[in-house]
Amino acid sequence: MCGIVGYIGSKEKKSVIIGGLKELEYRGYDSAGMAIMSGECCSDIHYFKAVGKLENLSNKMSDFSSEGFGVAIGHTRWATHGKPTEINAHPHLGEYSFVIHNGIIENYKELKDELESQGVKFISQTDTEVIVHLFERYNKTAKSPFEAYKQTIARLRGAYATLLITKAAYGEVFFAKNAAPLIVAKNGDEIYFSSSDASLIGLGKEAMYLEDGVIGHAKLGAIEIFDKNLKALQLSFTELPKDKGYAQKDGYRFFMEKEIYEQSQVISECLMGRVKDDNVNLEVSDDVFDGIDEVVLCACGTSYHAAITASYLFERIAKIRAKVEIASEFRYKEPLLKPNSLFIVISQSGETADTLEALKIAKEHGLKTMAICNVDNSSIVRLAGEVMLTRAGIEKGVASTKAFATQVICLWLLSLKLAKLRNVIDEKTMLNELKALRNIPSVVHFDPKLQERIYRLAKHYLHGHGFFFIGRDIFYPLALEGALKLKEISYLHAEGYPAGEMKHGPIALADDGLYTIALLPSTLLYEKTKSNVEELAARDANITAISPVAFELSDDFIQTNTYEHPMSEFFEMMIVLQLFALEISIRLGNDVDMPRNLAKSVTVE
Ligand code: M6R
């Protein structure tokens, strides 16, 4: 999704902006641009735009330097309105002002018609361009440029994080935020803006995460912020982490690969302090579970797969009804919500627009809410009643891996907590669950020989007409996740299915060009799943069995370890599926960390 960076100070602005945008690259984008106001005189605003990678923007600016004091705004765009062209790339310009924006202006058509009827000429197809023209129109009569900016923002409906610079206010940045993330940071007199703290680390010392509805302006050493009623707000900054190194690749070829290897460590961190004295000890208040007779789990993508996995755990372990909602469907379905439901949203980024909106709806209905999230201070974390952070660290690969693993751990912990509170778990079972939980960091600490084996097998899968990933029970959402990983980074068609569903239709596709990746754990429904796989083998489908038990009908076999607990098998198979997608994608020469058309943080609905 789009990224925003801004700077006020005397550093080389081109480098600050490119460096900041680089940190946001993993979110996905198709064009980039920046505007720089510098030099002695306010008439100097230079702007540059390029389609494709940031490198193209950098190359275009190779002869440009911006030493000395100035302000700069930069943007990576993920197209929503209008094609990914240079004209549609941000910043958008009026006669003397420049704007960048993340989000969607829902009433842009109406505003555009109004401005066009007054003779304003638009050059892009974007919704964003209305902001700069509205501003310049109001600036003709307003008392000050900032007053004109306030009038502009008051006209916008929808989601926006936006920065505007104008020759009418030399050295200043105007900013506003609603339903899209925006952070302002400072280091002495220098001021930085960004849509994520990833690009502020090492630059700003402290940051303020802006709330929805705020508007403000900043110049060297001075920031003023107002709430949606235009009441001045007290500035409240928190310290930013100092270490940029933690987000680098550490010798791995791709962030995704590094993140797969990190899972043992982040799961240990996720468990830290949460399993104590043979009990689950969570930071969420026990009150949140009072009177609850249903859990509703809501999320998108990989987080949705964690939700489905959790629905099995909640029902089996905590004996409570668990319903799963896909967040992108939830918003408009006029959901019937019961007051005794606990509404749990799951999100890596904490900014997914669909999930955030679902959370708002649940809150409006007066439900108790909880977020399982990886990003502290994100919009979802700030809105949810209770929060469990997944502690996976920054996840840069667009294809989620360690975030998924830690989400499942958090949800497993929650189901145990709830089982205890509901008095439906005996001591022996609890001890057994905790033993298995504590062992997961070793389960996902895999021998690199496994990756070597999968690398060798990967060459078998570069052709054919598709993949079925199949499994039963908790291995069904894992199959969904395996298929999503492969789709995302290899661009091969893959579907996840409950193994028992194959004969209800999908088996019609079985032939020697179809690959079936069968999850055959020994601890859960082994015989049942095996029969489903045999039905496919009988129709000449290519079978890859992932199992601790040798499967004579398989074309390829990936042997996993023998465990006593199904969740141990779940996590080992998760690693196999992640490596499987990774190695196929690498062989196909794809951009593993930034797959085409995808964005890390989906902040539009
Ligand atoms: O940040 P979130 O967990 O809310 O994101 C939800 C999905 O967009 C995300 O899981 C997406 O499916 C990933 N690309 C999966 O690898």
Coordinates of all heavy atoms in Angstrom, one line a residue, residues 97-151:
S97 N 1.5 24.5 -5.1 CA 1.5 23.6 -3.9 C 1.6 22.2 -4.3 O 1.2 21.8 -5.5 CB 0.2 23.8 -3.1 OG -0.1 25.2 -3.0
F98 N 2.0 21.3 -3.4 CA 2.2 19.9 -3.7 C 1.6 19.0 -2.6 O 1.8 19.4 -1.4 CB 3.7 19.5 -3.9 CG 4.3 20.2 -5.0 CD1 4.6 21.6 -5.0 CD2 4.5 19.5 -6.2 CE1 5.2 22.2 -6.1 CE2 5.1 20.2 -7.3 CZ 5.4 21.5 -7.2
V99 N 0.9 17.9 -3.0 CA 0.3 17.1 -1.9 C 0.6 15.6 -2.2 O 0.8 15.2 -3.3 CB -1.2 17.3 -1.9 CG1 -1.9 16.7 -3.1 CG2 -1.9 16.7 -0.6
I100 N 0.8 14.9 -1.1 CA 0.8 13.4 -1.1 C -0.2 12.9 -0.2 O -0.6 13.5 0.8 CB 2.2 12.9 -0.8 CG1 2.6 13.3 0.6 CG2 3.3 13.2 -1.8 CD1 4.0 12.7 1.1
H101 N -0.7 11.7 -0.5 CA -1.9 11.2 0.2 C -1.9 9.6 0.2 O -1.7 9.0 -0.8 CB -3.1 11.8 -0.4 CG -4.4 11.0 -0.2 ND1 -5.2 10.6 -1.2 CD2 -5.0 10.7 1.0 CE1 -6.3 10.0 -0.7 NE2 -6.2 10.0 0.6
N102 N -2.3 9.0 1.3 CA -2.6 7.6 1.4 C -4.1 7.5 1.8 O -4.5 8.2 2.6 CB -1.8 6.9 2.5 CG -0.4 6.7 2.2 OD1 0.1 7.1 1.2 ND2 0.3 6.2 3.2
G103 N -4.7 6.5 1.2 CA -6.1 6.3 1.5 C -7.0 6.6 0.3 O -6.5 6.6 -0.8
I104 N -8.3 6.8 0.5 CA -9.2 7.1 -0.6 C -10.2 8.2 -0.2 O -10.8 8.1 0.9 CB -10.0 5.8 -0.9 CG1 -9.1 4.7 -1.5 CG2 -11.2 6.1 -1.9 CD1 -9.8 3.4 -1.8
I105 N -10.2 9.2 -1.0 CA -11.2 10.3 -0.8 C -12.5 9.9 -1.4 O -12.6 9.8 -2.7 CB -10.7 11.6 -1.4 CG1 -9.3 12.0 -1.0 CG2 -11.7 12.8 -1.1 CD1 -9.1 12.2 0.5
E106 N -13.5 9.5 -0.6 CA -14.7 8.9 -1.1 C -15.5 9.9 -1.9 O -16.2 9.5 -2.9 CB -15.5 8.3 0.0 CG -15.0 7.0 0.5 CD -15.5 6.5 1.8 OE1 -16.4 7.2 2.4 OE2 -15.0 5.5 2.3
N107 N -15.5 11.2 -1.5 CA -16.3 12.2 -2.3 C -15.5 13.0 -3.3 O -15.9 14.1 -3.6 CB -17.0 13.1 -1.3 CG -16.0 13.9 -0.4 OD1 -14.9 13.4 -0.2 ND2 -16.3 15.1 0.1
Y108 N -14.4 12.3 -3.8 CA -13.6 13.1 -4.7 C -14.3 13.5 -6.0 O -14.1 14.6 -6.6 CB -12.3 12.3 -5.0 CG -12.4 11.4 -6.2 CD1 -11.9 11.8 -7.4 CD2 -12.9 10.1 -6.1 CE1 -12.0 10.9 -8.5 CE2 -13.0 9.3 -7.1 CZ -12.5 9.7 -8.4 OH -12.6 8.9 -9.5
K109 N -15.2 12.7 -6.5 CA -15.9 12.9 -7.7 C -16.7 14.2 -7.6 O -16.6 15.1 -8.5 CB -16.8 11.7 -8.0 CG -17.4 11.7 -9.4 CD -16.4 11.4 -10.5 CE -17.0 11.5 -11.9 NZ -17.2 12.9 -12.3
E110 N -17.4 14.3 -6.5 CA -18.3 15.5 -6.3 C -17.4 16.8 -6.1 O -17.7 17.8 -6.7 CB -19.0 15.2 -5.0 CG -19.6 16.3 -4.2 CD -19.9 15.7 -2.7 OE1 -20.3 14.5 -2.6 OE2 -19.8 16.5 -1.8
L111 N -16.2 16.6 -5.5 CA -15.3 17.8 -5.3 C -14.7 18.1 -6.6 O -14.5 19.3 -7.0 CB -14.2 17.4 -4.3 CG -14.7 17.2 -2.8 CD1 -13.6 16.6 -2.0 CD2 -15.3 18.5 -2.2
K112 N -14.4 17.1 -7.4 CA -13.7 17.3 -8.7 C -14.7 18.1 -9.6 O -14.3 19.1 -10.3 CB -13.3 16.0 -9.3 CG -12.5 16.1 -10.5 CD -11.9 14.8 -10.9 CE -11.2 14.9 -12.2 NZ -10.5 13.6 -12.6
D113 N -16.0 17.6 -9.6 CA -17.0 18.3 -10.5 C -17.1 19.8 -10.1 O -17.2 20.6 -11.0 CB -18.3 17.6 -10.3 CG -18.3 16.2 -11.0 OD1 -17.4 15.9 -11.7 OD2 -19.3 15.5 -10.7
E114 N -17.1 20.0 -8.8 CA -17.3 21.3 -8.3 C -16.1 22.2 -8.8 O -16.3 23.3 -9.3 CB -17.3 21.3 -6.8 CG -17.4 22.6 -6.1 CD -17.3 22.4 -4.5 OE1 -18.0 21.5 -4.0 OE2 -16.6 23.1 -3.9
L115 N -14.9 21.7 -8.6 CA -13.7 22.5 -9.0 C -13.6 22.7 -10.5 O -13.3 23.7 -11.0 CB -12.4 21.7 -8.5 CG -12.2 21.8 -7.0 CD1 -11.3 20.7 -6.5 CD2 -11.6 23.2 -6.6
E116 N -14.0 21.6 -11.2 CA -13.9 21.7 -12.7 C -14.9 22.8 -13.2 O -14.7 23.5 -14.1 CB -14.2 20.4 -13.4 CG -12.9 19.5 -13.4 CD -13.1 18.2 -14.0 OE1 -14.2 17.6 -13.9 OE2 -12.1 17.6 -14.5
S117 N -16.1 22.8 -12.5 CA -17.1 23.8 -12.9 C -16.6 25.2 -12.7 O -17.1 26.2 -13.2 CB -18.4 23.6 -12.2 OG -18.3 24.0 -10.9
Q118 N -15.5 25.4 -11.8 CA -15.0 26.7 -11.6 C -13.7 26.9 -12.4 O -12.9 27.8 -12.2 CB -14.6 26.8 -10.1 CG -15.8 26.8 -9.2 CD -15.5 26.5 -7.7 OE1 -14.3 26.3 -7.4 NE2 -16.5 26.5 -6.9
G119 N -13.5 26.0 -13.3 CA -12.4 26.2 -14.3 C -11.1 25.5 -13.9 O -10.1 25.7 -14.6
V120 N -11.1 24.7 -12.8 CA -9.8 24.1 -12.5 C -9.5 22.9 -13.4 O -10.5 22.2 -13.8 CB -9.9 23.5 -11.0 CG1 -8.6 22.7 -10.7 CG2 -10.1 24.7 -10.0
K121 N -8.3 22.8 -13.9 CA -7.9 21.7 -14.8 C -7.2 20.6 -14.0 O -6.3 20.9 -13.3 CB -7.0 22.2 -15.9 CG -7.5 23.2 -16.8 CD -8.0 22.5 -18.1 CE -8.7 23.5 -19.0 NZ -10.0 24.1 -18.6
F122 N -7.7 19.4 -14.1 CA -7.1 18.2 -13.5 C -6.2 17.5 -14.5 O -6.6 17.4 -15.7 CB -8.2 17.2 -13.0 CG -8.8 17.7 -11.7 CD1 -9.7 18.7 -11.7 CD2 -8.4 17.1 -10.5 CE1 -10.3 19.1 -10.4 CE2 -9.0 17.4 -9.3 CZ -9.9 18.5 -9.3
I123 N -5.1 17.1 -14.0 CA -4.2 16.3 -15.0 C -4.1 14.8 -14.7 O -3.8 14.0 -15.5 CB -2.8 16.9 -15.1 CG1 -2.1 17.0 -13.8 CG2 -2.8 18.3 -15.8 CD1 -0.7 17.4 -13.9
S124 N -4.5 14.4 -13.5 CA -4.4 13.0 -13.2 C -5.8 12.4 -13.1 O -6.8 13.1 -13.1 CB -3.6 12.8 -11.8 OG -4.5 13.1 -10.7
Q125 N -5.8 11.1 -12.9 CA -7.1 10.4 -12.7 C -7.3 10.1 -11.2 O -8.1 9.3 -10.8 CB -7.2 9.1 -13.5 CG -7.3 9.2 -14.9 CD -6.1 8.6 -15.6 OE1 -5.6 7.6 -15.2 NE2 -5.7 9.3 -16.7
T126 N -6.5 10.7 -10.3 CA -6.5 10.2 -8.9 C -7.6 11.0 -8.1 O -8.0 12.1 -8.5 CB -5.2 10.5 -8.3 OG1 -5.0 11.9 -8.2 CG2 -4.0 9.9 -9.0
D127 N -7.9 10.5 -7.0 CA -8.8 11.2 -6.1 C -8.0 12.3 -5.3 O -8.5 13.3 -5.0 CB -9.4 10.2 -5.1 CG -8.3 9.3 -4.4 OD1 -7.2 9.1 -5.0 OD2 -8.6 8.8 -3.3
T128 N -6.7 12.0 -5.2 CA -5.8 12.9 -4.4 C -5.7 14.3 -4.9 O -5.6 15.3 -4.1 CB -4.4 12.3 -4.3 OG1 -4.4 11.0 -3.8 CG2 -3.4 13.2 -3.5
E129 N -5.8 14.5 -6.2 CA -5.5 15.8 -6.8 C -6.5 16.8 -6.3 O -6.2 18.0 -6.3 CB -5.5 15.7 -8.4 CG -4.9 16.8 -9.0 CD -4.9 16.8 -10.5 OE1 -5.1 15.7 -11.1 OE2 -4.8 17.9 -11.1
V130 N -7.7 16.4 -5.9 CA -8.7 17.4 -5.5 C -8.2 18.2 -4.3 O -8.5 19.3 -4.1 CB -10.1 16.8 -5.1 CG1 -10.8 16.2 -6.3 CG2 -10.0 15.8 -3.9
I131 N -7.3 17.5 -3.5 CA -6.9 18.2 -2.2 C -6.1 19.5 -2.5 O -6.3 20.5 -2.0 CB -6.0 17.2 -1.4 CG1 -6.7 15.9 -1.1 CG2 -5.5 17.9 -0.1 CD1 -5.9 14.9 -0.3
V132 N -5.2 19.3 -3.5 CA -4.3 20.5 -3.8 C -5.1 21.6 -4.4 O -4.9 22.8 -4.1 CB -3.0 20.0 -4.6 CG1 -3.3 19.7 -6.0 CG2 -1.9 21.1 -4.5
H133 N -6.0 21.3 -5.3 CA -6.8 22.3 -5.9 C -7.8 23.0 -5.0 O -8.0 24.2 -5.0 CB -7.6 21.8 -7.1 CG -6.7 21.3 -8.2 ND1 -5.7 22.1 -8.8 CD2 -6.6 20.1 -8.9 CE1 -5.0 21.4 -9.7 NE2 -5.5 20.2 -9.8
L134 N -8.4 22.2 -4.1 CA -9.3 22.8 -3.1 C -8.5 23.8 -2.2 O -8.9 24.9 -1.9 CB -9.8 21.7 -2.1 CG -11.1 21.0 -2.4 CD1 -11.4 20.1 -1.3 CD2 -12.2 22.1 -2.5
F135 N -7.3 23.3 -1.8 CA -6.4 24.2 -1.0 C -6.2 25.5 -1.7 O -6.3 26.6 -1.1 CB -5.1 23.4 -0.7 CG -4.1 24.4 0.0 CD1 -4.2 24.8 1.3 CD2 -3.0 24.9 -0.8 CE1 -3.3 25.7 1.9 CE2 -2.1 25.8 -0.2 CZ -2.3 26.2 1.1
E136 N -5.7 25.4 -2.9 CA -5.4 26.7 -3.6 C -6.6 27.6 -3.8 O -6.5 28.8 -3.8 CB -4.7 26.4 -4.9 CG -3.3 25.8 -4.6 CD -2.3 25.7 -5.8 OE1 -2.8 25.9 -6.9 OE2 -1.2 25.4 -5.6
R137 N -7.8 26.9 -4.0 CA -9.0 27.7 -4.1 C -9.3 28.5 -2.8 O -9.5 29.7 -2.8 CB -10.2 26.9 -4.5 CG -11.4 27.8 -4.9 CD -12.6 27.0 -5.2 NE -13.2 26.6 -3.9 CZ -14.3 25.8 -3.9 NH1 -14.8 25.3 -4.9 NH2 -14.8 25.5 -2.7
Y138 N -9.3 27.7 -1.7 CA -9.6 28.3 -0.4 C -8.5 29.4 0.0 O -8.8 30.4 0.7 CB -9.7 27.3 0.7 CG -11.0 26.5 0.7 CD1 -11.0 25.1 0.6 CD2 -12.2 27.2 0.6 CE1 -12.1 24.4 0.5 CE2 -13.4 26.4 0.5 CZ -13.3 25.1 0.5 OH -14.5 24.4 0.4
N139 N -7.3 29.1 -0.5 CA -6.2 30.0 -0.1 C -6.3 31.4 -0.7 O -5.7 32.4 -0.3 CB -4.8 29.4 -0.5 CG -3.7 30.1 0.3 OD1 -3.8 30.4 1.4 ND2 -2.6 30.3 -0.4
K140 N -7.2 31.5 -1.7 CA -7.4 32.8 -2.3 C -8.1 33.8 -1.3 O -7.9 35.0 -1.4 CB -8.3 32.7 -3.6 CG -7.6 32.1 -4.7 CD -8.5 32.0 -5.9 CE -7.7 31.3 -7.0 NZ -8.5 30.5 -7.9
T141 N -8.9 33.2 -0.4 CA -9.7 34.1 0.5 C -9.4 33.9 2.0 O -9.8 34.7 2.8 CB -11.2 33.8 0.3 OG1 -11.4 32.4 0.3 CG2 -11.7 34.3 -1.1
A142 N -8.8 32.7 2.3 CA -8.5 32.4 3.7 C -7.6 33.4 4.4 O -6.7 34.0 3.7 CB -8.0 31.0 3.8
K143 N -7.7 33.5 5.7 CA -6.8 34.5 6.5 C -5.3 34.0 6.3 O -4.4 34.8 6.4 CB -7.2 34.4 7.9 CG -8.4 35.2 8.3 CD -8.4 35.6 9.8 CE -8.2 34.5 10.7 NZ -9.3 33.7 11.3
S144 N -5.1 32.7 6.3 CA -3.7 32.2 6.2 C -3.7 30.9 5.4 O -4.8 30.2 5.3 CB -3.2 31.9 7.6 OG -3.9 30.8 8.1
P145 N -2.6 30.4 4.9 CA -2.6 29.1 4.2 C -3.1 28.0 5.1 O -3.8 27.1 4.6 CB -1.1 29.0 3.9 CG -0.5 30.3 3.8 CD -1.3 31.1 4.8
F146 N -2.7 28.0 6.4 CA -3.2 26.9 7.3 C -4.7 27.0 7.4 O -5.4 25.9 7.5 CB -2.5 27.0 8.6 CG -2.8 25.8 9.5 CD1 -2.6 24.5 9.0 CD2 -3.3 25.9 10.8 CE1 -2.9 23.3 9.7 CE2 -3.6 24.8 11.5 CZ -3.4 23.5 11.0
E147 N -5.3 28.2 7.5 CA -6.8 28.3 7.5 C -7.4 27.6 6.2 O -8.4 26.9 6.3 CB -7.2 29.7 7.6 CG -7.1 30.3 9.0 CD -7.7 29.5 10.1 OE1 -8.9 29.1 9.9 OE2 -7.1 29.3 11.2
A148 N -6.7 27.9 5.1 CA -7.2 27.3 3.8 C -7.1 25.8 3.9 O -8.0 25.1 3.4 CB -6.3 27.9 2.7
Y149 N -6.0 25.3 4.5 CA -5.8 23.9 4.7 C -6.9 23.2 5.5 O -7.5 22.2 5.2 CB -4.4 23.6 5.3 CG -4.1 22.1 5.3 CD1 -3.9 21.4 4.0 CD2 -3.9 21.4 6.4 CE1 -3.6 20.1 4.0 CE2 -3.6 20.1 6.4 CZ -3.4 19.4 5.2 OH -3.1 18.1 5.2
K150 N -7.3 23.9 6.6 CA -8.3 23.4 7.5 C -9.6 23.3 6.7 O -10.4 22.4 6.8 CB -8.5 24.4 8.7 CG -7.5 24.3 9.7 CD -7.9 25.3 10.8 CE -6.8 25.5 11.9 NZ -7.0 26.7 12.7
Q151 N -9.9 24.4 5.9 CA -11.2 24.4 5.1 C -11.2 23.2 4.1 O -12.2 22.5 3.9 CB -11.4 25.7 4.4 CG -11.7 26.8 5.3 CD -11.6 28.2 4.6 OE1 -11.9 28.3 3.4 NE2 -11.2 29.2 5.3

